Amino acid sequence: IDHGWQGRYDVEGKLGSYNALELAYIGDAVYELLIRKALLGRGSRQMVEHNRQAFAMVNAAAQARAVQYLSDQLTTEELDLIRYGRNAKGGSAKSASLGDYRLATGLECLLGALYLEDEFDRIEQLMELIIDYLSKEE
C-alpha cells in the first residue's frame, strides 16, 4: 500500500488501480452478498424476515458500529484502507449521519480491497465477526 495514497490504490499492480469509491463499490456488493448468504444459512424463514434482518445489517449505521467493534482486531494496513475510504470525496449520506456514512464507506473500501487481493479467508473472518456482533444486537 502506498501510504501517500495519491488518490488511487494499486492492488499489487495486477488488477489496475482503484480509487476509494471504486473499492467501496466492490466492497458493498461483497458485504451484502455475505450478509444474505449468512441469513439464508440460518434456516428457512420467510423472505420478508430475511429482508428485514438484511436491512438491519446492511445500512450505514450498522456498518459504522461494525467498524468500531472491529477496530482493535484490524491490521495497520486494514485501518489505513478504512481511513482511505472514510476520507473519500463523493457520495452522499441519504439516510444516515455523515459520520456513519463515511465509516461504512471505509468498511466497504476495506472489503473491496481484500476481495481484489483474493484475501477471501480474511473477508470470511471479518464478516463472521461482524455478523455475530450485529446478530446479538437484534
PDB file of all heavy atoms in Angstrom, residues 20-53:
ATOM      1  N   ALA A  20     -10.887   5.128  -3.831  1.00  0.00           N
ATOM      2  CA  ALA A  20     -11.598   4.635  -2.646  1.00  0.00           C
ATOM      3  C   ALA A  20     -13.054   4.311  -2.938  1.00  0.00           C
ATOM      4  O   ALA A  20     -13.584   3.308  -2.456  1.00  0.00           O
ATOM      5  CB  ALA A  20     -11.497   5.665  -1.524  1.00  0.00           C
ATOM      6  N   LEU A  21     -13.715   5.139  -3.728  1.00  0.00           N
ATOM      7  CA  LEU A  21     -15.132   4.881  -4.003  1.00  0.00           C
ATOM      8  C   LEU A  21     -15.323   3.666  -4.904  1.00  0.00           C
ATOM      9  O   LEU A  21     -16.318   2.950  -4.782  1.00  0.00           O
ATOM     10  CB  LEU A  21     -15.792   6.119  -4.596  1.00  0.00           C
ATOM     11  CG  LEU A  21     -15.870   7.312  -3.641  1.00  0.00           C
ATOM     12  CD1 LEU A  21     -16.503   8.520  -4.330  1.00  0.00           C
ATOM     13  CD2 LEU A  21     -16.623   6.969  -2.362  1.00  0.00           C
ATOM     14  N   GLU A  22     -14.354   3.394  -5.774  1.00  0.00           N
ATOM     15  CA  GLU A  22     -14.421   2.182  -6.597  1.00  0.00           C
ATOM     16  C   GLU A  22     -14.229   0.942  -5.730  1.00  0.00           C
ATOM     17  O   GLU A  22     -14.942  -0.062  -5.902  1.00  0.00           O
ATOM     18  CB  GLU A  22     -13.372   2.239  -7.705  1.00  0.00           C
ATOM     19  CG  GLU A  22     -13.673   3.295  -8.753  1.00  0.00           C
ATOM     20  CD  GLU A  22     -12.503   3.590  -9.670  1.00  0.00           C
ATOM     21  OE1 GLU A  22     -11.336   3.353  -9.295  1.00  0.00           O
ATOM     22  OE2 GLU A  22     -12.767   4.071 -10.785  1.00  0.00           O
ATOM     23  N   LEU A  23     -13.292   1.005  -4.785  1.00  0.00           N
ATOM     24  CA  LEU A  23     -13.110  -0.118  -3.859  1.00  0.00           C
ATOM     25  C   LEU A  23     -14.365  -0.318  -3.022  1.00  0.00           C
ATOM     26  O   LEU A  23     -14.793  -1.456  -2.792  1.00  0.00           O
ATOM     27  CB  LEU A  23     -11.901   0.132  -2.951  1.00  0.00           C
ATOM     28  CG  LEU A  23     -10.539   0.083  -3.622  1.00  0.00           C
ATOM     29  CD1 LEU A  23      -9.457   0.536  -2.646  1.00  0.00           C
ATOM     30  CD2 LEU A  23     -10.235  -1.307  -4.156  1.00  0.00           C
ATOM     31  N   ALA A  24     -14.963   0.777  -2.560  1.00  0.00           N
ATOM     32  CA  ALA A  24     -16.187   0.688  -1.756  1.00  0.00           C
ATOM     33  C   ALA A  24     -17.338   0.114  -2.576  1.00  0.00           C
ATOM     34  O   ALA A  24     -18.171  -0.632  -2.047  1.00  0.00           O
ATOM     35  CB  ALA A  24     -16.554   2.061  -1.198  1.00  0.00           C
ATOM     36  N   TYR A  25     -17.396   0.426  -3.841  1.00  0.00           N
ATOM     37  CA  TYR A  25     -18.433  -0.103  -4.738  1.00  0.00           C
ATOM     38  C   TYR A  25     -18.371  -1.626  -4.788  1.00  0.00           C
ATOM     39  O   TYR A  25     -19.390  -2.313  -4.670  1.00  0.00           O
ATOM     40  CB  TYR A  25     -18.237   0.513  -6.126  1.00  0.00           C
ATOM     41  CG  TYR A  25     -19.236   0.090  -7.158  1.00  0.00           C
ATOM     42  CD1 TYR A  25     -20.546   0.555  -7.124  1.00  0.00           C
ATOM     43  CD2 TYR A  25     -18.860  -0.752  -8.204  1.00  0.00           C
ATOM     44  CE1 TYR A  25     -21.460   0.170  -8.104  1.00  0.00           C
ATOM     45  CE2 TYR A  25     -19.760  -1.136  -9.176  1.00  0.00           C
ATOM     46  CZ  TYR A  25     -21.062  -0.659  -9.121  1.00  0.00           C
ATOM     47  OH  TYR A  25     -21.965  -1.037 -10.082  1.00  0.00           O
ATOM     48  N   ILE A  26     -17.151  -2.155  -4.924  1.00  0.00           N
ATOM     49  CA  ILE A  26     -16.958  -3.615  -4.913  1.00  0.00           C
ATOM     50  C   ILE A  26     -17.257  -4.167  -3.519  1.00  0.00           C
ATOM     51  O   ILE A  26     -17.950  -5.175  -3.361  1.00  0.00           O
ATOM     52  CB  ILE A  26     -15.515  -3.980  -5.324  1.00  0.00           C
ATOM     53  CG1 ILE A  26     -15.212  -3.539  -6.745  1.00  0.00           C
ATOM     54  CG2 ILE A  26     -15.238  -5.474  -5.126  1.00  0.00           C
ATOM     55  CD1 ILE A  26     -15.994  -4.253  -7.809  1.00  0.00           C
ATOM     56  N   GLY A  27     -16.740  -3.497  -2.493  1.00  0.00           N
ATOM     57  CA  GLY A  27     -16.914  -3.961  -1.118  1.00  0.00           C
ATOM     58  C   GLY A  27     -18.365  -3.981  -0.675  1.00  0.00           C
ATOM     59  O   GLY A  27     -18.775  -4.857   0.097  1.00  0.00           O
ATOM     60  N   ASP A  28     -19.168  -3.043  -1.158  1.00  0.00           N
ATOM     61  CA  ASP A  28     -20.594  -3.021  -0.840  1.00  0.00           C
ATOM     62  C   ASP A  28     -21.272  -4.300  -1.330  1.00  0.00           C
ATOM     63  O   ASP A  28     -22.063  -4.917  -0.608  1.00  0.00           O
ATOM     64  CB  ASP A  28     -21.240  -1.789  -1.478  1.00  0.00           C
ATOM     65  CG  ASP A  28     -22.739  -1.738  -1.268  1.00  0.00           C
ATOM     66  OD1 ASP A  28     -23.178  -1.722  -0.099  1.00  0.00           O
ATOM     67  OD2 ASP A  28     -23.484  -1.734  -2.273  1.00  0.00           O
ATOM     68  N   ALA A  29     -20.933  -4.715  -2.532  1.00  0.00           N
ATOM     69  CA  ALA A  29     -21.510  -5.944  -3.087  1.00  0.00           C
ATOM     70  C   ALA A  29     -21.062  -7.168  -2.294  1.00  0.00           C
ATOM     71  O   ALA A  29     -21.865  -8.061  -2.002  1.00  0.00           O
ATOM     72  CB  ALA A  29     -21.118  -6.086  -4.555  1.00  0.00           C
ATOM     73  N   VAL A  30     -19.788  -7.211  -1.930  1.00  0.00           N
ATOM     74  CA  VAL A  30     -19.253  -8.325  -1.135  1.00  0.00           C
ATOM     75  C   VAL A  30     -19.981  -8.396   0.201  1.00  0.00           C
ATOM     76  O   VAL A  30     -20.451  -9.456   0.618  1.00  0.00           O
ATOM     77  CB  VAL A  30     -17.729  -8.165  -0.926  1.00  0.00           C
ATOM     78  CG1 VAL A  30     -17.194  -9.162   0.099  1.00  0.00           C
ATOM     79  CG2 VAL A  30     -16.991  -8.292  -2.249  1.00  0.00           C
ATOM     80  N   TYR A  31     -20.095  -7.255   0.873  1.00  0.00           N
ATOM     81  CA  TYR A  31     -20.737  -7.192   2.184  1.00  0.00           C
ATOM     82  C   TYR A  31     -22.190  -7.676   2.115  1.00  0.00           C
ATOM     83  O   TYR A  31     -22.600  -8.542   2.884  1.00  0.00           O
ATOM     84  CB  TYR A  31     -20.671  -5.754   2.712  1.00  0.00           C
ATOM     85  CG  TYR A  31     -21.236  -5.577   4.096  1.00  0.00           C
ATOM     86  CD1 TYR A  31     -20.455  -5.807   5.223  1.00  0.00           C
ATOM     87  CD2 TYR A  31     -22.555  -5.169   4.296  1.00  0.00           C
ATOM     88  CE1 TYR A  31     -20.961  -5.642   6.499  1.00  0.00           C
ATOM     89  CE2 TYR A  31     -23.067  -5.007   5.574  1.00  0.00           C
ATOM     90  CZ  TYR A  31     -22.266  -5.243   6.665  1.00  0.00           C
ATOM     91  OH  TYR A  31     -22.779  -5.086   7.927  1.00  0.00           O
ATOM     92  N   GLU A  32     -22.941  -7.126   1.180  1.00  0.00           N
ATOM     93  CA  GLU A  32     -24.355  -7.501   1.089  1.00  0.00           C
ATOM     94  C   GLU A  32     -24.535  -8.969   0.730  1.00  0.00           C
ATOM     95  O   GLU A  32     -25.384  -9.658   1.305  1.00  0.00           O
ATOM     96  CB  GLU A  32     -25.091  -6.615   0.086  1.00  0.00           C
ATOM     97  CG  GLU A  32     -26.591  -6.897   0.109  1.00  0.00           C
ATOM     98  CD  GLU A  32     -27.421  -5.796  -0.498  1.00  0.00           C
ATOM     99  OE1 GLU A  32     -26.917  -4.698  -0.752  1.00  0.00           O
ATOM    100  OE2 GLU A  32     -28.615  -6.067  -0.710  1.00  0.00           O
ATOM    101  N   LEU A  33     -23.742  -9.469  -0.184  1.00  0.00           N
ATOM    102  CA  LEU A  33     -23.842 -10.879  -0.571  1.00  0.00           C
ATOM    103  C   LEU A  33     -23.566 -11.796   0.611  1.00  0.00           C
ATOM    104  O   LEU A  33     -24.305 -12.759   0.857  1.00  0.00           O
ATOM    105  CB  LEU A  33     -22.876 -11.187  -1.719  1.00  0.00           C
ATOM    106  CG  LEU A  33     -22.835 -12.645  -2.179  1.00  0.00           C
ATOM    107  CD1 LEU A  33     -24.190 -13.063  -2.749  1.00  0.00           C
ATOM    108  CD2 LEU A  33     -21.736 -12.840  -3.190  1.00  0.00           C
ATOM    109  N   LEU A  34     -22.521 -11.503   1.382  1.00  0.00           N
ATOM    110  CA  LEU A  34     -22.176 -12.376   2.513  1.00  0.00           C
ATOM    111  C   LEU A  34     -23.198 -12.266   3.647  1.00  0.00           C
ATOM    112  O   LEU A  34     -23.450 -13.257   4.344  1.00  0.00           O
ATOM    113  CB  LEU A  34     -20.757 -12.094   2.986  1.00  0.00           C
ATOM    114  CG  LEU A  34     -19.689 -12.496   1.965  1.00  0.00           C
ATOM    115  CD1 LEU A  34     -18.305 -12.119   2.448  1.00  0.00           C
ATOM    116  CD2 LEU A  34     -19.764 -13.982   1.637  1.00  0.00           C
ATOM    117  N   ILE A  35     -23.786 -11.102   3.834  1.00  0.00           N
ATOM    118  CA  ILE A  35     -24.878 -10.973   4.814  1.00  0.00           C
ATOM    119  C   ILE A  35     -26.057 -11.834   4.384  1.00  0.00           C
ATOM    120  O   ILE A  35     -26.601 -12.610   5.183  1.00  0.00           O
ATOM    121  CB  ILE A  35     -25.316  -9.496   4.972  1.00  0.00           C
ATOM    122  CG1 ILE A  35     -24.220  -8.666   5.638  1.00  0.00           C
ATOM    123  CG2 ILE A  35     -26.637  -9.398   5.720  1.00  0.00           C
ATOM    124  CD1 ILE A  35     -23.993  -8.938   7.103  1.00  0.00           C
ATOM    125  N   ARG A  36     -26.451 -11.727   3.133  1.00  0.00           N
ATOM    126  CA  ARG A  36     -27.591 -12.517   2.635  1.00  0.00           C
ATOM    127  C   ARG A  36     -27.312 -14.016   2.725  1.00  0.00           C
ATOM    128  O   ARG A  36     -28.175 -14.801   3.108  1.00  0.00           O
ATOM    129  CB  ARG A  36     -27.924 -12.123   1.205  1.00  0.00           C
ATOM    130  CG  ARG A  36     -28.554 -10.758   1.105  1.00  0.00           C
ATOM    131  CD  ARG A  36     -28.792 -10.357  -0.329  1.00  0.00           C
ATOM    132  NE  ARG A  36     -29.375  -9.038  -0.395  1.00  0.00           N
ATOM    133  CZ  ARG A  36     -30.391  -8.713  -1.183  1.00  0.00           C
ATOM    134  NH1 ARG A  36     -30.913  -9.605  -1.987  1.00  0.00           N
ATOM    135  NH2 ARG A  36     -30.866  -7.487  -1.184  1.00  0.00           N
ATOM    136  N   LYS A  37     -26.102 -14.418   2.369  1.00  0.00           N
ATOM    137  CA  LYS A  37     -25.726 -15.837   2.452  1.00  0.00           C
ATOM    138  C   LYS A  37     -25.829 -16.324   3.892  1.00  0.00           C
ATOM    139  O   LYS A  37     -26.359 -17.408   4.150  1.00  0.00           O
ATOM    140  CB  LYS A  37     -24.298 -16.014   1.929  1.00  0.00           C
ATOM    141  CG  LYS A  37     -23.797 -17.437   1.989  1.00  0.00           C
ATOM    142  CD  LYS A  37     -22.361 -17.523   1.509  1.00  0.00           C
ATOM    143  CE  LYS A  37     -21.811 -18.912   1.766  1.00  0.00           C
ATOM    144  NZ  LYS A  37     -20.360 -18.973   1.578  1.00  0.00           N
ATOM    145  N   ALA A  38     -25.334 -15.536   4.836  1.00  0.00           N
ATOM    146  CA  ALA A  38     -25.390 -15.925   6.251  1.00  0.00           C
ATOM    147  C   ALA A  38     -26.832 -16.036   6.730  1.00  0.00           C
ATOM    148  O   ALA A  38     -27.177 -16.971   7.469  1.00  0.00           O
ATOM    149  CB  ALA A  38     -24.633 -14.916   7.106  1.00  0.00           C
ATOM    150  N   LEU A  39     -27.673 -15.119   6.320  1.00  0.00           N
ATOM    151  CA  LEU A  39     -29.074 -15.161   6.746  1.00  0.00           C
ATOM    152  C   LEU A  39     -29.783 -16.387   6.191  1.00  0.00           C
ATOM    153  O   LEU A  39     -30.550 -17.040   6.909  1.00  0.00           O
ATOM    154  CB  LEU A  39     -29.806 -13.880   6.333  1.00  0.00           C
ATOM    155  CG  LEU A  39     -29.356 -12.617   7.077  1.00  0.00           C
ATOM    156  CD1 LEU A  39     -30.026 -11.384   6.479  1.00  0.00           C
ATOM    157  CD2 LEU A  39     -29.646 -12.718   8.561  1.00  0.00           C
ATOM    158  N   LEU A  40     -29.525 -16.724   4.947  1.00  0.00           N
ATOM    159  CA  LEU A  40     -30.135 -17.924   4.371  1.00  0.00           C
ATOM    160  C   LEU A  40     -29.611 -19.185   5.053  1.00  0.00           C
ATOM    161  O   LEU A  40     -30.344 -20.166   5.197  1.00  0.00           O
ATOM    162  CB  LEU A  40     -29.871 -18.002   2.870  1.00  0.00           C
ATOM    163  CG  LEU A  40     -30.648 -17.009   2.011  1.00  0.00           C
ATOM    164  CD1 LEU A  40     -30.202 -17.115   0.557  1.00  0.00           C
ATOM    165  CD2 LEU A  40     -32.145 -17.214   2.137  1.00  0.00           C
ATOM    166  N   GLY A  41     -28.380 -19.153   5.510  1.00  0.00           N
ATOM    167  CA  GLY A  41     -27.781 -20.295   6.187  1.00  0.00           C
ATOM    168  C   GLY A  41     -28.364 -20.560   7.568  1.00  0.00           C
ATOM    169  O   GLY A  41     -28.129 -21.609   8.155  1.00  0.00           O
ATOM    170  N   ARG A  42     -29.114 -19.620   8.075  1.00  0.00           N
ATOM    171  CA  ARG A  42     -29.717 -19.795   9.401  1.00  0.00           C
ATOM    172  C   ARG A  42     -30.958 -20.674   9.380  1.00  0.00           C
ATOM    173  O   ARG A  42     -31.539 -20.943  10.416  1.00  0.00           O
ATOM    174  CB  ARG A  42     -30.109 -18.435   9.980  1.00  0.00           C
ATOM    175  CG  ARG A  42     -28.929 -17.587  10.349  1.00  0.00           C
ATOM    176  CD  ARG A  42     -29.389 -16.306  10.954  1.00  0.00           C
ATOM    177  NE  ARG A  42     -28.253 -15.517  11.400  1.00  0.00           N
ATOM    178  CZ  ARG A  42     -28.362 -14.318  11.916  1.00  0.00           C
ATOM    179  NH1 ARG A  42     -29.555 -13.761  12.053  1.00  0.00           N
ATOM    180  NH2 ARG A  42     -27.302 -13.659  12.291  1.00  0.00           N
ATOM    181  N   GLY A  43     -31.356 -21.094   8.220  1.00  0.00           N
ATOM    182  CA  GLY A  43     -32.538 -21.946   8.133  1.00  0.00           C
ATOM    183  C   GLY A  43     -33.646 -21.240   7.385  1.00  0.00           C
ATOM    184  O   GLY A  43     -33.544 -20.083   7.016  1.00  0.00           O
ATOM    185  N   SER A  44     -34.703 -21.985   7.166  1.00  0.00           N
ATOM    186  CA  SER A  44     -35.783 -21.431   6.351  1.00  0.00           C
ATOM    187  C   SER A  44     -36.609 -20.425   7.147  1.00  0.00           C
ATOM    188  O   SER A  44     -37.017 -20.679   8.266  1.00  0.00           O
ATOM    189  CB  SER A  44     -36.676 -22.559   5.824  1.00  0.00           C
ATOM    190  OG  SER A  44     -37.260 -23.237   6.901  1.00  0.00           O
ATOM    191  N   ARG A  45     -36.781 -19.301   6.561  1.00  0.00           N
ATOM    192  CA  ARG A  45     -37.639 -18.234   7.067  1.00  0.00           C
ATOM    193  C   ARG A  45     -38.333 -17.631   5.869  1.00  0.00           C
ATOM    194  O   ARG A  45     -37.927 -17.828   4.731  1.00  0.00           O
ATOM    195  CB  ARG A  45     -36.819 -17.134   7.749  1.00  0.00           C
ATOM    196  CG  ARG A  45     -36.229 -17.526   9.055  1.00  0.00           C
ATOM    197  CD  ARG A  45     -35.745 -16.248   9.755  1.00  0.00           C
ATOM    198  NE  ARG A  45     -35.245 -16.576  11.057  1.00  0.00           N
ATOM    199  CZ  ARG A  45     -34.020 -16.285  11.482  1.00  0.00           C
ATOM    200  NH1 ARG A  45     -33.186 -15.667  10.709  1.00  0.00           N
ATOM    201  NH2 ARG A  45     -33.641 -16.611  12.691  1.00  0.00           N
ATOM    202  N   GLN A  46     -39.307 -16.858   6.146  1.00  0.00           N
ATOM    203  CA  GLN A  46     -39.957 -16.162   5.046  1.00  0.00           C
ATOM    204  C   GLN A  46     -39.037 -15.058   4.540  1.00  0.00           C
ATOM    205  O   GLN A  46     -38.259 -14.473   5.300  1.00  0.00           O
ATOM    206  CB  GLN A  46     -41.279 -15.579   5.511  1.00  0.00           C
ATOM    207  CG  GLN A  46     -42.293 -16.638   5.862  1.00  0.00           C
ATOM    208  CD  GLN A  46     -43.638 -16.022   6.216  1.00  0.00           C
ATOM    209  OE1 GLN A  46     -43.781 -14.811   6.286  1.00  0.00           O
ATOM    210  NE2 GLN A  46     -44.614 -16.873   6.425  1.00  0.00           N
ATOM    211  N   MET A  47     -39.127 -14.776   3.262  1.00  0.00           N
ATOM    212  CA  MET A  47     -38.263 -13.767   2.655  1.00  0.00           C
ATOM    213  C   MET A  47     -38.461 -12.401   3.305  1.00  0.00           C
ATOM    214  O   MET A  47     -37.507 -11.624   3.408  1.00  0.00           O
ATOM    215  CB  MET A  47     -38.506 -13.680   1.146  1.00  0.00           C
ATOM    216  CG  MET A  47     -38.023 -14.916   0.396  1.00  0.00           C
ATOM    217  SD  MET A  47     -36.327 -15.436   0.788  1.00  0.00           S
ATOM    218  CE  MET A  47     -35.395 -14.041   0.256  1.00  0.00           C
ATOM    219  N   VAL A  48     -39.649 -12.124   3.785  1.00  0.00           N
ATOM    220  CA  VAL A  48     -39.898 -10.851   4.466  1.00  0.00           C
ATOM    221  C   VAL A  48     -38.970 -10.732   5.680  1.00  0.00           C
ATOM    222  O   VAL A  48     -38.387  -9.675   5.934  1.00  0.00           O
ATOM    223  CB  VAL A  48     -41.383 -10.734   4.886  1.00  0.00           C
ATOM    224  CG1 VAL A  48     -41.610  -9.605   5.861  1.00  0.00           C
ATOM    225  CG2 VAL A  48     -42.256 -10.586   3.662  1.00  0.00           C
ATOM    226  N   GLU A  49     -38.805 -11.819   6.413  1.00  0.00           N
ATOM    227  CA  GLU A  49     -37.940 -11.814   7.586  1.00  0.00           C
ATOM    228  C   GLU A  49     -36.465 -11.682   7.176  1.00  0.00           C
ATOM    229  O   GLU A  49     -35.697 -10.954   7.812  1.00  0.00           O
ATOM    230  CB  GLU A  49     -38.146 -13.084   8.411  1.00  0.00           C
ATOM    231  CG  GLU A  49     -37.331 -13.148   9.677  1.00  0.00           C
ATOM    232  CD  GLU A  49     -37.662 -12.050  10.686  1.00  0.00           C
ATOM    233  OE1 GLU A  49     -38.719 -11.404  10.581  1.00  0.00           O
ATOM    234  OE2 GLU A  49     -36.836 -11.827  11.585  1.00  0.00           O
ATOM    235  N   HIS A  50     -36.067 -12.390   6.120  1.00  0.00           N
ATOM    236  CA  HIS A  50     -34.690 -12.245   5.618  1.00  0.00           C
ATOM    237  C   HIS A  50     -34.420 -10.798   5.236  1.00  0.00           C
ATOM    238  O   HIS A  50     -33.372 -10.247   5.562  1.00  0.00           O
ATOM    239  CB  HIS A  50     -34.452 -13.139   4.397  1.00  0.00           C
ATOM    240  CG  HIS A  50     -34.292 -14.587   4.722  1.00  0.00           C
ATOM    241  ND1 HIS A  50     -33.384 -15.064   5.634  1.00  0.00           N
ATOM    242  CD2 HIS A  50     -34.925 -15.672   4.222  1.00  0.00           C
ATOM    243  CE1 HIS A  50     -33.463 -16.376   5.692  1.00  0.00           C
ATOM    244  NE2 HIS A  50     -34.395 -16.773   4.849  1.00  0.00           N
ATOM    245  N   ASN A  51     -35.348 -10.186   4.532  1.00  0.00           N
ATOM    246  CA  ASN A  51     -35.162  -8.798   4.101  1.00  0.00           C
ATOM    247  C   ASN A  51     -35.089  -7.842   5.289  1.00  0.00           C
ATOM    248  O   ASN A  51     -34.282  -6.914   5.287  1.00  0.00           O
ATOM    249  CB  ASN A  51     -36.277  -8.368   3.149  1.00  0.00           C
ATOM    250  CG  ASN A  51     -36.115  -8.973   1.776  1.00  0.00           C
ATOM    251  OD1 ASN A  51     -35.005  -9.243   1.330  1.00  0.00           O
ATOM    252  ND2 ASN A  51     -37.231  -9.200   1.103  1.00  0.00           N
ATOM    253  N   ARG A  52     -35.895  -8.080   6.308  1.00  0.00           N
ATOM    254  CA  ARG A  52     -35.868  -7.223   7.492  1.00  0.00           C
ATOM    255  C   ARG A  52     -34.509  -7.325   8.182  1.00  0.00           C
ATOM    256  O   ARG A  52     -33.899  -6.326   8.540  1.00  0.00           O
ATOM    257  CB  ARG A  52     -36.980  -7.614   8.473  1.00  0.00           C
ATOM    258  CG  ARG A  52     -37.059  -6.692   9.709  1.00  0.00           C
ATOM    259  CD  ARG A  52     -37.920  -7.264  10.822  1.00  0.00           C
ATOM    260  NE  ARG A  52     -37.366  -8.460  11.416  1.00  0.00           N
ATOM    261  CZ  ARG A  52     -36.300  -8.494  12.244  1.00  0.00           C
ATOM    262  NH1 ARG A  52     -35.674  -7.404  12.550  1.00  0.00           N
ATOM    263  NH2 ARG A  52     -35.881  -9.634  12.752  1.00  0.00           N
ATOM    264  N   GLN A  53     -34.024  -8.541   8.358  1.00  0.00           N
ATOM    265  CA  GLN A  53     -32.735  -8.743   9.008  1.00  0.00           C
ATOM    266  C   GLN A  53     -31.582  -8.202   8.162  1.00  0.00           C
ATOM    267  O   GLN A  53     -30.640  -7.613   8.698  1.00  0.00           O
ATOM    268  CB  GLN A  53     -32.511 -10.217   9.321  1.00  0.00           C
ATOM    269  CG  GLN A  53     -33.389 -10.700  10.451  1.00  0.00           C
ATOM    270  CD  GLN A  53     -33.094 -12.142  10.801  1.00  0.00           C
ATOM    271  OE1 GLN A  53     -32.740 -12.938   9.936  1.00  0.00           O
ATOM    272  NE2 GLN A  53     -33.241 -12.479  12.070  1.00  0.00           N
TER     273      GLN A  53
END
